[in-house]
Structure formats: C-alpha cells, structure tokens
Amino acid sequence: MPKQTLPQVPIKKGEPAYKLWIFEPGWKGELPLILNPRQLAEQKRPALLPGHRLCAGCAAPIIVKLASFAFRGPTIVVNATGCLEVATTIFPYTSWAVPWIHNAFENAASTGSGVEAAIKALKKTGRLPYEHVDVVIFGGDGGTFDIGFQALSGAAERGHDFLYILYDNEAYMNTGIQRSGGTPPFAWTTTSPVGKVIPGKQQAKKPIADIMVAHRIPYVATATPAHWLDLMKKVRKGIEVEGPAFIHALSPCDRGWRHGTELAIEIARRAVDTCYFPLWEWTPETGYMLTDRSLAIARNPSLKQPIEKFVEVQGRFKHLLKPENRELLKKFQEYVDLVWEDLLKRAANAPK
Amino acid sequence: MTERLFLSGNEAIVYGAIDAGCRFYAGYPITPSSEIMHLMAKELPRVGGVFIQAEDELAAINMIIGASWAGLKSMTATSGPGFSLMQEGIGYAVMTETPLVIVDVMRAGPATGQATKSAQGDLMQARWGRHGDQYLVVIAPMTPQEAYDLIIEAFNIAEAYRVPVVFLMDEFIGHGREIVVRRGADKLVVRRKPSDHEPPFGSKDPRIPPPMPRLGEGHYVLVTGSTHNEWGYRDVHGFETHYKLVTRLKEKIWDNIDKIFKYKVYGDPDARRIIVCFGSTCRPAIDAAERVGGTKVLRLITLWPLNYDKLAEELSGAGKVVVPELNLGQLVYDVAQVYPRSKIRVINKVGGGIPIYPSEIIKVLEA
C-alpha cells in the first residue's frame, strides 16, 4: 500500500492554510454554497480550525465545520456551555475563526437574541458596515432539551433571526455522561445505570424538533454529519430565512455511546437507515418534507433496517442484545416505528 | 455496621446522606459535584429512595422542596453556577422553613470560571446569596471523613431547626480520596409533626422551631413564600405579620447559636499566633502550625451563623492572626469584626487548582 499522504489542497503561496475569517467593513455579497467536494476543499475554509481537543471520533466538529461551509458571510457564533465550548477553546488558543461568545449553560438562545437584536438596531440606524451579519448558535442536547429550553422557546416566540444548531449527542457528555431529555429509552448513562431491575433510561426522547415546529418558526430541520450535503443545504436555508431557524443534528459520541472512534459517521448513517433519526425539514408553507435517505426509505420501505443495526455497534445499548432482553429490543423497535409512521403520515412528500 | 471504605469526599457525602436517612435526591450534572449524583443514582433506589435528574438546577432545588414537604429527607448537590441558579429556591426554603441539605462543591468562579479547579469563593454567597433578610446554616468539612460525618450533622440541623443547610465543600475534598469509616449516625433528629392545634409556622418561643406537617397526611397545610402568619395564611400588606415572621426566622437560628456553632482548635491552644481557616486550607494550616510550633489553628466548622463572641474570645490576646483562603478574602471580614484588620495577615490564592502550601503559611507566620 502506498504511503498515505495528506490530501493536496491548493493553497496560495505565502498564505496560511488556516486563517481567521475577516470581512472588510463594507463587504457585500454572499459566500457561495459549494456542494462539489473538490471545489469545496479548494475554495472554502471552515470556521472551526484544527487543533481543538474534541475527542477522536467525535461528530460535533464535523457538524460545525460542515455548517460553517454553508455560512453566507459575516457570522457571529454563540456557544452554549458544553463539549464544543470547552474543547475548542483550550488556553491559550481558540479554534474559532469567527467572533465567538460563550455564556452559561442555559442561555445561548437568550445571548443570541441580544446579539441579533443589537445587530438589527445597528442596521436600522445605518451603523452596520455589512449587508447582513448572521447569528448561529451551537448548543448541545443538555443545553437545548433541558436547561436551555426556556431560553430557546422564548427566543423562538420573539422571532429573533438566528440559526440554532443543536448537536445532539444524547447525554451530558461534558460532565460525565449523565442522561438528558435527548437520551433515548434504554440507553445506559451514569444517571440511568443499567442493572438487574432497571434497563437504562426509562423515558422516551423529547421530540425537540417537533416542539420547535410547534413554535411555527420559519424553518426546522433534522440532519446528521453522515448526510453532509443535506446538512449544508439545510444550514444555508436556516441562515437565509428571516426569523428563527432550528436544526437538530445527531452527533454520535464515542465516549458516551461506547463505540469505536472510527464509527461516528457509520452510526449516524445507521441512525437514518433504521429510521431512528429520520431526516426531514419543515417550513410553514410546505409542512414536513422528508429529505435525503429518509425520502428514499419512504419511497422504498425495503431499505429500512431493523433497529438492531443501530443498537449493535453501541455499548450503551449492549444489554438490549442479551437474550433475556429481547422484549426490550422489540419495544425499542416499536417506539422507533411509531415515530417513523407518524412522520410518514405528516410528510407531504411521502408516498401515500 | 462500621465499614472502612476508600472514598472521595463526593462519594462520602452519598453514604453519609443515606445513613442520615436521606431518601430523595434531585440534581443536575455539574463539575465537580457530578459524582454525588452518579452514586446517588445507584445507591438511593437500593434503600427505597428516589433519585431524579432534573432538567436544570431550578427544578432540582424546587423538587427537593416539594419532596421535603411530602415528608422525605431531601438533598441536592451542585457547584457555583448551579448554586447561583438555586438561590431563589433556597430563599423560598428559608421562608417556608423547609429542611433541606444543599451541597455546594466549590469551583473557581465567577461565571463558569474554572470548572475543575478548587476554590472557596462561595462563602459569602452561601450566607447572603438571596434577597431579603434570611438566615440559614453553612457547614464546611475538611476531609472526606468529615464529609461523611458532617453531612449527617447537616441533616440533623436541617430537621431540628427546619432550615436549609448549605454544605460548603472545596473541590479538593470532593475529589480527594481517603479512607472513610462508615460508622453510621449516632443520633438522628426526627421531624416533629404538629398536633391538631399547633400552627406549622409559629411558636411562642422563637428558639423552638414549629413542628412540620406532611402534605397528604390530613393536616390542613398552606405553604407559601409570601409573608404568612403562623397558620400559613398570606399577608402581603401588614407590618406586624412580616416583622414577626422574619424576626422569628432569624432568632430561630441566632438564638440557638450555641448549639449550632462548632469549631475546633488545633496546635498549641495558648499560642498567640493564630491561623483562622475553614475547608481545605485547614490541613496545610495544621501542618504549618505543627512544624513551626507555638501556633494555634482555629478551624471553623460552622461558617454561618458565626458566633462572633466565641471568635473574639479565641482571638483575645492574639499577636499575629493569619487567614489563608482560596479566594480573594472573604473569611477575613469575619475575623476583622473581632480583631483589628491591620494585624491580620492574609494569604489569598485562587484558580488553577493550586492549594495553599504549608510553606507559604510558615513564611507568613515567621515574617
């Protein structure tokens, strides 16, 4: 086998491979959304630079990088407390090539609201040197499903123009794998331990994207890093709409889900293939629309994989594979099917 | 049932709380207190208790208030940012005289600060973090063994005086691991229930806390954080009801100070050089005193209410007073109330998880 080399990315001579995003005052226009991988590699720089200390195999930086490829110009990132925040800003460095503000755990949406409202005021009075400044908020599942939900709901109701990207690794990974509102049923966590009596978490996963749909905001979508074109397109749509947009991105976590570091993308793919995490988008005009692989599964149900495919590669579910727990696995399958069937009923582009 | 266990301070708290009869825990993940939660999730169901992970600290503190009124000994654990969120609930617990134990494993603040690094910056917040006149009890352990022993004491105080108790522990002790003897509780205070004509929010003698009814046991109970009379009826206009209530809540604590306030003297009790300290700074202080000799270590166990008379008595005739603290100077204000500030030498250090070393204290002692 030939010696592996890093991909040759054409970088202009004398120019650093990675640099801060700087937009001269008065900068006009829009960064193009490039979907061709080669052009993307040649022409785009992510807003999250290398050298961060997120774990090997973590999907969160993949989501952030893909999202930043879809930014359309000057962008301010608001970050809730979480893995992403602590691991991308290791003293004395930062991985962020764009302005970045971190507040406490529960108030990323509120902080984003303030930033957005101030930008709006500056623009109104002619003091903003750009056509548009976008606000993108990154929050984890703890900071979105649980403690930050009040702030998110309030901001959505007030109609601030931001994009909220939830990277959902389905537990409090930063503080030691405690259950969250995003943890699926039967998953092991440190606060929903698996024992003889209790098989992991006993409650369902909060349908956060559907809750955001219920806020009737202009754009809601789900995404995974495995379906990267889909994710980038959705991020761009979310940035372009006027008003709040919300993207729920599944982010496999090898530490918390107990899987190999090389499996993050594969597991995200299986999450969609088993319909555990269907891909869709919602706007008030179109209603629910399935996208990418989930649309293919809706058209051809034989593509749908059993939930074992998702469960078998994760240590947090290993108790479900024991023969005595077959009943639980069946229950889990029923739960997934119920959510999927419900979505099929609602999706406008699902074959009826 | 004495057991010798190798435990961190956080884990010792769990066993202490369970031995004290704690049967309800609600909490929210936060470094450096999460281990309390992990172990509670495992241990509480085994003894028939209830463990709930809340969606945030606001929910956690209010859940334990609810559980306490429903009759279970309840506690929560958190750290600085979560403790800030809990303040409203703690104020409510003071006003409604709800027995609770709140563990605050201190990290370096303000804001998110340094999540994994030890500090003692929450001392003033533990005492005064809420609005309005309110008094509660603050206790600080010095070792994992004390975390076990004193959490039992904390539950006893909470139950005896119907008051929230803040258990202020440094991260060093929370994560420090030592042999802990699980010796069980010597005595447990049992919550007194009212007879038919006994009001739940008033007593003739302010030193005797009123009995506490239990929701769902047939007592007619009205519980409110608004000003209320001895039967719980709201009075949000009158002077007398409010004045009577808040003075009683204060006297309930301060008039019992002889029973609540605890401290220990190490080293040479007659020495004129005195170190005043609490929490994790005590061991370096004791070590320093032993090494140089001729030094008394006055180690506070109860940080609030603080018996200033006792403090003055201990400091009378002192030459040099040293106050080492893992903050920018908070305990020193108390010492300064009874001893001239100009003669107090402080050692302040905070952040980075660096302790105050005995050598530093010795340097100041001998300077």
Side-chain angles (χ1 to χ4, degrees):
Chain A
M1 216 171 111
K3 200 182 145 208
Q4 268 195 325
T5 51
L6 287 169
Q8 291 286 318
V9 178
I11 291 158
K12 280 177 204 154
K13 261 197 178 156
E15 207 177 71
Y18 299 99
K19 54 181 185 180
L20 299 183
W21 287 24
I22 291 169
F23 297 90
E24 293 300 327
W27 186 88
K28 278 196 178 5
E30 275 188 15
L31 299 175
L33 178 64
I34 298 171
L35 300 174
N36 175 320
R38 183 165 182 89
Q39 283 178 1
L40 193 67
E42 283 173 4
Q43 297 174 24
K44 285 271 188 177
R45 296 283 175 270
L48 187 72
L49 305 179
H52 59 72
R53 262 71 142 190
L54 282 153
C55 307
C58 173
I62 307 173
I63 292 168
V64 176
K65 280 183 191 178
L66 288 172
S68 71
F69 285 144
F71 288 176
R72 65 170 169 176
T75 306
I76 297 168
V77 166
V78 183
N79 205 174
T81 301
C83 292
L84 184 66
E85 172 257 322
V86 299
T88 56
T89 50
I90 300 288
F91 183 77
Y93 304 107
T94 175
S95 281
W96 294 93
V98 291
W100 176 87
I101 177 168
H102 155 236
N103 199 337
F105 204 5
E106 69 278 16
N107 46 28
S110 313
T111 310
S113 300
V115 172
E116 187 270 347
I119 287 169
K120 210 180 254 172
L122 289 173
K123 198 173 174 185
K124 217 172 173 179
T125 48
R127 286 179 287 172
L128 191 72
Y130 306 104
E131 268 179 305
H132 47 70
V133 174
D134 301 317
V135 178
V136 176
I137 303 171
F138 288 102
D141 53 304
T144 306
F145 283 81
D146 293 349
I147 193 169
F149 183 69
Q150 186 175 345
L152 174 62
S153 182
E157 185 268 329
R158 290 189 301 269
H160 293 282
D161 184 13
F162 60 64
L163 168 63
Y164 193 108
I165 300 177
L166 153 65
Y167 71 98
D168 177 11
N169 50 26
E170 303 198 319
Y172 291 86
M173 301 312 181
N174 186 34
T175 48
I177 323 174
Q178 294 91 358
R179 83 186 272 284
S180 77
T183 308
F186 308 120
W188 163 91
T189 67
T190 49
T191 54
S192 61
V194 173
K196 282 189 192 120
V197 183
I198 300 170
K201 193 188 171 191
Q202 294 176 287
Q203 298 83 9
K205 184 181 169 92
K206 203 192 257 190
I208 190 78
D210 290 318
I211 293 170
M212 293 318 290
V213 166
H215 284 74
R216 297 289 178 265
I217 56 176
Y219 188 76
V220 181
T222 63
T224 81
H227 307 79
W228 58 282
L229 282 174
D230 183 63
L231 190 150
M232 281 167 58
K233 285 184 209 160
K234 283 170 173 170
V235 169
R236 190 55 167 248
K237 277 186 203 170
I239 288 175
E240 278 171 357
V241 292
E242 281 288 315
F246 182 83
I247 292 176
H248 179 186
L250 190 71
S251 175
C253 166
D254 53 299
R255 291 293 302 117
W257 295 16
R258 301 292 197 230
H259 62 71
T261 49
E262 73 285 11
L263 288 178
I265 296 296
E266 174 62 20
I267 287 175
R269 192 175 293 128
R270 288 186 186 200
V272 175
D273 287 348
T274 57
C275 298
Y276 167 77
F277 192 84
L279 297 171
W280 51 266
E281 58 185 355
W282 181 92
T283 64
E285 297 79 35
T286 60
Y288 285 89
M289 300 284 274
L290 295 172
T291 62
D292 208 288
R293 186 71 176 171
S294 289
L295 183 58
I297 295 171
R299 287 179 177 154
N300 180 4
S302 66
L303 295 174
K304 184 169 178 266
Q305 303 280 321
I307 195 67
E308 282 95 326
K309 287 276 167 214
F310 178 63
V311 166
E312 69 189 9
V313 277
Q314 299 175 48
R316 64 172 175 161
F317 287 124
K318 71 171 183 226
H319 54 289
L320 290 184
L321 299 173
K322 286 184 186 159
E324 66 266 29
N325 284 337
R326 199 160 290 153
E327 203 53 34
L328 298 178
L329 194 63
K330 217 175 117 195
K331 262 195 203 160
F332 195 25
Q333 180 70 60
E334 281 164 10
Y335 161 78
V336 169
D337 290 346
L338 200 73
V339 176
W340 172 243
E341 296 294 333
D342 182 48
L343 181 64
L344 282 181
K345 271 183 225 152
R346 282 180 287 161
N349 60 350
K352 291 279 163 1
Chain B
M1 54 161 274
T2 307
E3 259 183 293
R4 275 166 65 86
L5 302 165
F6 188 53
L7 299 178
S8 69
N10 281 346
E11 290 164 346
I13 279 182
V14 174
Y15 292 115
I18 287 173
D19 291 350
C22 171
R23 288 297 177 268
F24 187 92
Y25 180 96
Y28 189 71
I30 188 164
T31 308
S33 78
S34 297
E35 292 83 5
I36 299 177
M37 201 173 164
H38 298 169
L39 199 58
M40 277 289 187
K42 277 194 191 144
E43 294 293 334
L44 262 187
R46 286 188 184 146
V47 292
V50 181
F51 164 85
I52 298 183
Q53 185 183 325
E55 74 273 23
D56 54 25
E57 283 89 353
L58 307 177
I61 184 80
N62 289 301
M63 268 187 215
I64 63 168
I65 290 170
S68 187
W69 274 98
L72 292 184
K73 286 189 181 179
S74 313
M75 75 172 260
T76 186
T78 188
S79 183
F83 191 55
S84 294
L85 287 180
M86 286 184 180
Q87 297 303 327
E88 185 195 38
I90 298 172
Y92 177 91
V94 170
M95 191 66 155
T96 55
E97 299 172 69
T98 311
L100 304 173
V101 174
I102 302 121
V103 178
D104 175 12
V105 187
M106 287 183 284
R107 66 192 224 184
T112 26
Q114 291 185 326
T116 56
K117 306 302 179 200
S118 200
Q120 296 184 325
D122 301 355
L123 171 61
M124 287 299 182
Q125 190 195 17
R127 294 169 173 178
W128 297 115
R130 285 78 40 198
H131 62 276
D133 292 289
Q134 36 76 41
Y135 297 87
L136 42 62
V137 178
V138 182
I139 294 179
M142 164 176 111
T143 59
Q145 177 67 52
E146 281 198 358
Y148 175 86
D149 295 334
L150 288 177
I151 197 85
I152 297 174
E153 176 77 13
F155 272 98
N156 281 344
I157 292 174
E159 296 294 329
Y161 301 101
R162 272 186 71 182
V163 69
V165 176
V166 177
F167 198 73
L168 211 56
M169 186 165 79
D170 306 17
E171 182 270 348
F172 286 139
I173 304 163
H175 285 161
R177 207 166 263 280
E178 284 181 357
I179 296 286
V180 173
V181 182
R182 189 180 179 185
R183 42 173 98 98
D186 298 336
K187 69 165 178 92
L188 286 181
V189 174
V190 181
R191 202 178 286 185
R192 194 161 67 85
K193 283 185 194 160
S195 58
D196 281 349
H197 299 289
E198 229 176 334
F201 297 105
S203 52
K204 286 211 178 76
D205 184 349
R207 280 171 302 178
I208 299 168
M212 186 170 171
R214 181 174 169 171
L215 295 175
E217 264 197 339
H219 291 286
Y220 182 58
V221 193
L222 298 168
V223 187
T224 174
S226 299
T227 299
H228 47 268
N229 71 1
E230 67 270 27
W231 288 101
Y233 289 97
R234 288 174 78 245
D235 177 3
V236 291
H237 300 290
F239 161 77
E240 264 183 30
T241 320
H242 188 81
Y243 189 75
K244 199 171 140 193
L245 177 63
V246 291
T247 20
R248 185 176 62 74
L249 293 182
K250 180 181 177 181
E251 283 167 1
K252 183 173 80 170
I253 304 302
W254 284 93
D255 289 1
N256 283 310
I257 197 159
D258 291 337
K259 288 182 209 155
I260 297 173
F261 181 72
K262 294 220 165 79
Y263 68 99
K264 248 184 189 171
V265 174
Y266 297 82
D268 176 3
D270 303 318
R272 291 187 68 231
R273 282 196 304 206
I274 301 177
I275 308 172
V276 186
C277 54
F278 74 100
S280 70
T281 50
C282 298
R283 281 170 135 182
I286 295 165
D287 190 33
E290 275 171 8
R291 280 199 227 170
V292 297
T295 309
K296 171 160 104 174
V297 179
L298 186 63
R299 178 262 159 135
L300 300 173
I301 297 171
T302 313
L303 295 173
W304 201 245
L306 200 61
N307 194 335
Y308 288 101
D309 298 341
K310 267 268 160 23
L311 199 60
E313 199 183 300
E314 289 289 341
L315 292 181
S316 63
K320 182 190 270 176
V321 173
V322 181
V323 184
E325 285 181 89
L326 289 173
N327 55 39
L328 299 184
Q330 299 193 13
L331 187 67
V332 66
Y333 289 111
D334 295 314
V335 183
Q337 293 223 11
V338 295
Y339 193 75
R341 178 68 182 83
S342 53
K343 288 194 206 162
I344 302 172
R345 299 290 307 275
V346 292
I347 305 172
N348 296 131
K349 211 173 182 185
V350 65
I354 302 169
I356 291 175
Y357 298 107
S359 56
E360 289 172 278
I361 300 174
I362 291 171
K363 209 189 262 172
V364 176
L365 281 174
E366 292 181 334

